[in-house]
Amino acid sequence: IALLFREVKPRGIRIGFRSDSIDVGKLAARFGGGGHKLAAGAKLSGSLDEAVEKVLAAAREYLGEEDQT
């Protein structure tokens, strides 16, 4: 998967989720976002560092779950 983090205003982060095979729509939904299986997005409040930490941790967990299915 690919993740793109953009700070759109102070303490406002937009995240783009992309993949060629993993359902990133489900991952984005964990953050109140949505989209399609291979392209999704979400918005978070907080610092860029906090957003990166949260989303990467969730992505690692999600990818571990995907390996087991």
Side-chain angles (χ1 to χ4, degrees):
I1 64 173
L3 303 168
L4 175 65
F5 296 83
R6 293 180 294 153
E7 190 168 28
V8 293
K9 59 183 178 180
R11 303 199 56 82
I13 310 298
R14 295 187 74 136
I15 305 106
F17 300 79
R18 300 293 183 271
S19 173
D20 61 359
S21 60
I22 302 293
D23 186 347
V24 291
K26 290 181 182 177
L27 180 57
R30 293 184 179 193
F31 298 98
H36 302 280
K37 180 177 181 178
L38 303 180
K43 297 180 205 174
L44 290 177
S45 295
S47 73
L48 180 60
D49 289 338
E50 292 168 339
V52 169
E53 187 177 321
K54 284 181 189 177
V55 174
L56 287 181
R60 288 182 184 108
E61 178 184 312
Y62 182 67
L63 291 172
E65 291 171 3
E66 287 286 313
D67 288 341
Q68 296 174 15
T69 58

